[in-house]
Amino acid sequence: MAEDPNTWELETRLVRGGMARTPYGEVSEALFLTQSFAYDSAAAADRRFAGDDPGFIYQRFGNPTTQMFEDRLALLEGADVCRATASGMSAVHASLCGLLRAGDHLVAGRALFGSCRWILSEWMPRFGVEVTYVDATDIEAWKNAVRPNTRAFLVESPANPLLEVTAIGAVADVAHAAGARLVVDNVFATPIFQKPLALGADVVVYSATKHIDGQGRVLGGAILGGAEVMTEAYKDLLRHTGPALSPFNSWVLLKGLETLDLRVRRQTETAVKLADQIAAHSRVKATMYCGRPDHPQAAVIANQMSGGGNVIAFDLGSQAAAWRFLDALAIVDISNNLGDAKSMATHPSTTTHRSMPEEERLKIGLTPGWVRMSVGLEGAGDLSRDVGRALDQA
Ligand SMILES: *Cc1c(COP(=O)(O)O)cnc(C)c1O
């Protein structure tokens, strides 16, 4: 007897959602390394291309392994449709290209991942799209930025690297009143702790490279949303521009989803303890963590996130102190990635955010003393000792 996967608990969705077995009855999902698909007859090929028969045509359009990943992630997110992409950046880029055309206007939260900022500041203007940046925590700023030609809003919440949080529902209301669609980059919250579509967003994007892989292996991304926007804005764009996720990477990410909940919850449990330890240390000037009551948007967090996540940011007062901290770490790696099983810490001003003009960095509060840490799956005692010792030497 088959059950409706929509009635399943989250953990069951992550392990079994989207499973499409071949007649061999394999238990671990099959990896279909095939570019194209053969048809039983010329008439069958005709029906497939006409869309009357739902089978696969070509890897750029879809693949059984990729579809299992897409269906599983859609089930987790509560989205009608998920389309996988080759990286988080191809997801962000396509999510905007599908909504915007020359003459349109985009409003975006100022604190954005470096490559997202490049797309907005350097790339979009080439195609006649105007961009306004706002303080994403200020609802009035979103309202004031709206123009008659505003068609899309983009926000990352929590944002990289200082974890500022945006009230997604309130910003969605402003977007919809303006006739625009809201795209949320949900990487830092993860699909475990925040559901932007349920909060009012139209489109959610992920870098699956982060927590969804979670073991530092492959790049991947995803765009999720309701059936209408996914068809109208993205179906043809993704087919014809070709940011398809490879079946191999789809398979790795599909298996990553099986343990996503376990990993993210364990990482968060450790992050909660480390954030308190970091905040209490005499060398630390400020600590940002979405799971602490002193986060400036704690009330918004309580309303829209069910966990603080695994990223902590803290200010050691100067670049020299931040570098001394990083160089004193023995277990935690100095690395700019996040969501990995291995803990890592980075100095955003000289790595992830070095291409952001200093003046812009200061606008988001990113002074040279900040360190961003992604908490992994190592023992909490070992991490506490490593971070404690490095803070003493900062
Ligand atoms: C890493 C990241 C991206 C880009 O993802 P890639 O998979 O590296 O292309 C986009 N947004 C956020 C918030 C990220 O952390």
Side-chain angles (χ1 to χ4, degrees), residues 86-393:
S87 67
M89 284 324 305
S90 55
V92 172
H93 180 241
S95 76
L96 298 176
C97 285
L99 299 177
L100 296 162
R101 62 182 65 208
D104 287 349
H105 175 238
L106 165 74
V107 187
R110 181 170 282 125
L112 280 178
F113 184 71
S115 297
C116 299
R117 249 199 109 85
W118 182 87
I119 290 177
L120 268 50
S121 297
E122 308 294 327
W123 196 243
M124 287 289 164
R126 284 210 203 179
F127 301 94
V129 173
E130 300 175 304
V131 180
T132 303
Y133 294 107
V134 296
D135 171 354
T137 63
D138 179 358
I139 300 301
E140 289 305 310
W142 290 95
K143 281 188 193 157
N144 293 336
V146 168
R147 300 180 193 168
N149 56 341
T150 304
R151 290 290 167 267
F153 280 18
L154 171 69
V155 72
E156 197 179 292
S157 181
N160 188 18
L162 300 187
L163 307 169
E164 62 185 41
V165 168
T166 300
I168 292 171
V171 172
D173 288 344
V174 178
H176 297 155
R181 280 178 163 136
L182 172 62
V183 179
V184 175
D185 184 334
N186 204 39
V187 166
F188 277 62
T190 80
I192 302 298
F193 292 141
Q194 180 168 271
K195 301 269 196 269
L197 297 177
L199 294 165
D202 302 282
V203 176
V204 180
V205 292
Y206 285 105
S207 165
T209 311
K210 311 293 166 53
H211 308 78
I212 294 175
D213 177 333
Q215 294 167 72
R217 299 162 297 191
V218 302
L219 294 185
I223 307 176
L224 298 105
E228 193 191 325
V229 70
M230 292 304 296
T231 305
E232 179 196 300
Y234 303 122
K235 188 174 176 218
D236 291 339
L237 178 73
L238 294 173
R239 283 184 164 211
H240 303 304
T241 62
L245 182 65
S246 82
F248 179 77
N249 288 7
S250 303
W251 184 84
V252 171
L253 297 170
L254 181 62
K255 301 309 276 181
L257 283 177
E258 292 184 348
T259 56
L260 179 69
D261 184 70
L262 279 177
R263 287 185 284 102
V264 168
R265 287 188 194 281
R266 171 61 71 84
Q267 288 169 337
T268 300
E269 224 173 83
T270 308
V272 168
K273 293 181 201 152
L274 281 177
D276 287 344
Q277 178 188 350
I278 290 166
H281 198 280
S282 61
R283 297 278 164 85
V284 177
K285 315 281 179 233
T287 306
M288 280 290 187
Y289 178 59
C290 294
R292 275 177 61 87
D294 63 355
H295 189 290
Q297 286 95 37
V300 178
I301 292 170
N303 207 30
Q304 69 186 31
M305 290 176 71
S306 56
N310 79 317
V311 182
I312 306 168
F314 48 97
D315 181 9
L316 292 170
S318 69
Q319 175 171 318
W323 282 23
R324 279 195 300 273
F325 168 82
L326 292 171
D327 291 340
L329 292 165
I331 295 174
V332 177
D333 287 311
I334 303 173
S335 182
N336 47 279
N337 204 2
L338 63 101
D340 201 287
K342 295 184 171 61
S343 296
M344 36 192 70
T346 193
H347 180 241
S349 300
T350 50
T351 61
T352 53
H353 288 67
R354 74 175 297 141
S355 67
M356 189 185 238
E358 193 188 354
E359 179 199 325
E360 287 293 310
R361 286 205 295 264
L362 295 179
K363 273 192 201 162
I364 63 163
L366 182 57
T367 46
W370 284 91
V371 171
R372 187 197 76 191
M373 180 170 169
S374 168
V375 178
L377 292 172
E378 301 92 339
D382 287 337
L383 291 178
S384 166
R385 185 179 66 253
D386 196 25
V387 168
R389 183 178 45 215
L391 285 174
D392 289 343
Q393 291 175 36

